[in-house]
C-alpha cells in the first residue's frame, strides 16, 4: 500500500493497517527509521554525575552506554565492542576505563580504544580506528536523552515548546530528584498499541474507574493538544469523596505528555513530580516498559509510594487492554480500526508520524 493511500485512510479516521501491529518486517523498518533516528529517554543524570560514572541502557535495539568523562563532559556511545560485538559496559557504576568482558579490549572514557591485548603483534592495527561509536546525548533537568543518529537535530527541536508548557503548569524538572524505578515489565503487545493506548482517555471512564473518580475525564474538561513531535493531555482533578488517594499539593491537574517516538511524562495531582514511562519494542509482539519517578525534594516516602501505587493500578488496567487489542489485531480479523477524531486525534497524529518515518 502506498503512503498517499495510507495517509488518506488516516485522514478518513481509519487506523494503520492491523498487520502493522505484529509484522516483524514493519518493526525492522521502525527500528531503522524511528528508533535509530530519534531522541529517546536513556536514564537518570544523577547516575552519571561524577567523572567515570556510567550506565548502560538501550534505545530501540541499540545498546547504549552513557558516561561522564574525566573533565566532566557527558558522552554516550553504542555499547558494542568494536572487536566482535560484545556489550562493553553492564549496569551502572564508576570506572577509570570501559573494558569489554570478552577479550578485554579497553576503551577510555572518551570512547577511544586504549588497549587491545595482542594487537601489538598485528601489523597495521591502529587503535585510533577502533574507538566506540559515539551517539548524541543531552539532558533535560534530571533526564538523560540519547539519539543514535549523529546527524539528528538537537533535542530542543524534538521537545519544542514542551519545557515551557511544563513550566507553565508548575513543574521545573531541574528541581526534581530521582526516587526510583517501578513497573519494569514486559507487555504482550506491539509498542504502537501501547503508545496509542497512552494517547487517549476515551477509555478512561470505561476502563479506569478509580482514575476517573480522581480526574475529570469528560471530553469538555479533558484537553488534548498536539505539537510537531509531542502531545499533551491535561485535565483537572475532581473534588470530592472517595478519591483513590489524597491529591493535596501544588499540582492540581493530571498532565500526560508524549514525546516521539516512545517516551512519556506523567504527573498526577499532588506534589510536583514527573514519572517517565517508556515503551521499548522487544520484538513485534512484546514491549518492555518501566517508570522512573522524579519528585520534589522532601516529598515524604508515603506520598511517593501512594501515587506510584496508584499509577501501577492504572498501568495494570492498561496492560490488560493493550494485550487484548494485540490479540485482536493479530487475529487478522480486521484490516483497520476507526478512530473518533474528537477523542483520538493524538493517535491520528502519532500514526501519521509513523507513516512519515517509514516512507
Ligand atoms: S568482543 Fe570485546 S574484546 Fe572481543
Ligand atoms: Fe489507560
Amino acid at each position: 500500500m502506498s503512503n498517499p493511500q495510507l495517509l488518506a485512510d488516516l485522514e478518513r479516521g481509519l487506523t494503520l493497517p492491523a498487520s502493522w501491529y505484529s509484522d516483524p518486517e514493519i518493526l525492522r523498518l521502525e527500528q531503522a527509521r524511528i528508533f535509530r533516528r530519534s531522541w529517546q529517554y536513556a536514564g537518570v543524570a544523577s547516575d552519571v554525575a561524577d567523572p567515570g560514572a556510567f550506565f548502560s541502557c538501550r534505545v530501540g535495539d541499540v545498546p547504549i552506554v552513557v558516561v561522564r568523562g574525566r573533565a566532566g563532559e557527558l558522552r554516550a556511545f553504542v555499547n558494542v565492542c568494536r572487536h566482535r560485538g560484545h556489550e562493553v559496559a553492564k549496569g551502572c557504576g564508576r570506572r577509570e576505563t570501559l573494558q569489554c568482558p570478552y577479550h578485554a579490549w579497553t576503551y577510555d572514557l572518551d570512547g577511544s580504544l586504549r588497549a587491545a591485548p595482542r594487537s601489538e603483534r598485528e601489523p597495521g592495527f591502529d587503535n585510533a580506528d577502533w574507538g566506540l561509536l559515539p551517539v548524541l546525548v543531552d539532558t533535560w533537568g534530571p533526564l538523560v536523552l540519547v539519539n543514535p543518529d549523529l546527524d539528528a537535530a538537537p533535542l530542543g527541536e524534538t521537545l519544542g515548546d514542551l519545557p515551557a508548557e511544563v513550566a507553565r503548569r508548575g513543574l521545573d524538572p531541574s528541581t526534581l530528584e530521582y526516587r526510583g524505578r517501578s513497573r519494569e515489565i514486559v507487555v504482550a503487545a506491539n509498542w504502537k498499541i501501547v503508545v496509542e493506548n497512552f494517547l487517549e482517555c476515551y477509555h478512561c471512564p470505561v476502563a479506569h474507574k478509580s482514575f476517573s473518580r480522581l480526574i475529570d475525564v469528560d471530553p469538555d474538561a479533558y484537553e488534548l493538544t498536539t505539537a510537531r513531535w509531542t502531545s499533551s493531555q491535561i485535565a483537572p482533578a475532581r473534588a470530592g469523596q472517595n478519591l483513590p488517594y489524597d491529591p493535596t499539593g501544588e499540582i492540581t491537574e493530571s498532565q500526560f505528555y508524549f514525546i516521539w517516538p516512545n517516551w512519556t511524562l506523567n504527573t498526577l495531582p499532588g506534589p510536583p513530580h514527573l514519572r517517565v514511562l517508556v515503551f521499548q519494542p522487544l520484538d513485534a509482539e512484546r514491549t518492555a516498559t518501566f517508570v522512573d519517578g522524579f519528585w520534589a525534594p522532601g516529598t515524604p516516602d508515603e506520598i511517593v509510594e501512594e501515587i506510584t501505587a496508584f499509577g501501577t493500578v492504572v498501568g495494570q488496567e492498561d496492560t490488560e487492554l493493550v494485550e487484548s487489542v494485540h490479540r485482536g489485531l493479530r487475529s487478522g480479523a480486521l484490516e483497520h480500526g476507526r478512530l473518533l477524531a474528537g477523542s483520538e486525534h493524538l493517535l491520528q497524529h502519532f500514526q501519521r508520524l509513523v507513516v512519515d518515518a517509514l516512507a
Side-chain angles (χ1 to χ4, degrees):
M1 193 179 287
S2 69
N3 284 317
Q5 178 63 51
L6 265 178
L7 289 168
D9 284 349
L10 295 186
E11 224 49 56
R12 294 194 288 137
L14 298 184
T15 63
L16 293 175
S19 62
W20 282 33
Y21 296 86
S22 55
D23 181 349
E25 178 57 19
I26 293 288
L27 181 62
R28 199 187 60 74
L29 288 173
E30 290 166 344
Q31 290 287 10
R33 297 181 187 173
I34 296 175
F35 293 97
R36 273 173 233 151
R37 292 182 183 172
S38 311
W39 284 97
Q40 288 151 81
Y41 180 73
V44 182
S46 55
D47 282 348
V48 281
D50 302 321
F54 74 94
F55 67 78
S56 63
C57 63
R58 198 170 57 79
V59 296
D61 52 14
V62 184
I64 299 285
V65 57
V66 177
V67 58
R68 182 71 64 179
R70 267 180 272 283
E73 340 72 283
L74 190 63
R75 296 195 178 93
F77 303 98
V78 175
N79 186 21
V80 175
C81 183
R82 294 294 305 280
H83 175 218
R84 275 180 34 224
H86 198 284
E87 287 153 319
V88 176
K90 196 171 173 197
C92 62
R94 207 170 151 183
R95 299 267 177 77
E96 291 297 315
T97 57
L98 299 173
Q99 185 176 71
C100 177
Y102 199 175
H103 312 90
W105 282 31
T106 303
Y107 301 89
D108 216 312
L109 300 177
D110 65 5
S112 59
L113 179 64
R114 192 191 262 200
R118 306 185 199 175
S119 63
E120 67 288 351
R121 298 163 173 245
E122 299 286 317
F125 187 97
D126 186 352
N127 284 8
D129 296 334
W130 300 103
L132 292 174
L133 302 173
V135 303
L136 299 183
V137 61
D138 203 347
T139 57
W140 177 20
L143 319 183
V144 179
L145 300 314
V146 297
N147 188 332
D149 179 4
L150 290 176
D151 298 324
L155 172 66
E157 205 256 357
T158 294
L159 296 181
D161 291 336
L162 188 58
E165 175 169 5
V166 164
R168 202 167 56 241
R169 296 188 180 280
L171 293 166
D172 176 358
S174 69
T175 63
L176 304 179
E177 293 174 354
Y178 181 58
R179 296 285 285 272
R181 182 164 286 192
S182 61
R183 214 166 147 66
E184 215 173 347
I185 59 164
V186 174
V187 178
N190 180 269
W191 73 277
K192 298 189 294 301
I193 295 174
V194 186
V195 168
E196 291 174 7
N197 175 69
F198 179 88
L199 290 175
E200 50 93 357
C201 207
Y202 183 24
H203 69 277
C204 295
V206 186
H208 297 309
K209 297 291 187 206
S210 60
F211 178 84
S212 303
R213 285 202 307 277
L214 177 72
I215 301 298
D216 191 346
V217 297
D218 186 273
D220 294 324
Y222 199 91
E223 209 182 289
L224 299 162
T225 314
T226 56
R228 179 74 181 95
W229 301 110
T230 66
S231 63
S232 60
Q233 304 174 61
I234 310 294
R238 292 188 203 269
Q241 308 289 307
N242 199 18
L243 300 176
Y245 70 89
D246 174 7
T248 308
E250 280 169 55
I251 305 295
T252 57
E253 310 162 304
S254 66
Q255 307 177 32
F256 304 122
Y257 303 100
F258 169 73
I259 303 105
W260 170 262
N262 71 331
W263 52 291
T264 71
L265 308 178
N266 301 264
T267 302
L268 288 163
H273 67 281
L274 280 176
R275 299 172 68 245
V276 182
L277 165 61
V278 180
F279 311 121
Q280 294 178 319
L282 290 178
D283 56 38
E285 310 205 44
R286 289 181 311 150
T287 301
T289 77
F290 62 84
V291 182
D292 276 352
F294 299 85
W295 293 80
T299 306
D301 285 343
E302 310 83 77
I303 294 183
V304 172
E305 282 160 24
E306 191 177 39
I307 295 182
T308 302
F310 176 67
T312 296
V313 168
V314 177
Q316 281 163 347
E317 291 165 351
D318 281 323
T319 296
E320 288 187 29
L321 298 171
V322 297
E323 291 187 342
S324 175
V325 169
H326 186 87
R327 290 189 297 272
L329 294 182
R330 192 188 50 182
S331 71
L334 306 182
E335 263 180 61
H336 295 271
R338 169 66 158 87
L339 297 178
L340 301 195
S343 297
E344 297 176 297
H345 65 271
L346 270 53
L347 271 87
Q348 209 168 24
H349 183 73
F350 169 73
Q351 296 187 357
R352 277 193 210 108
L353 293 178
V354 171
V355 172
D356 288 346
L358 299 197

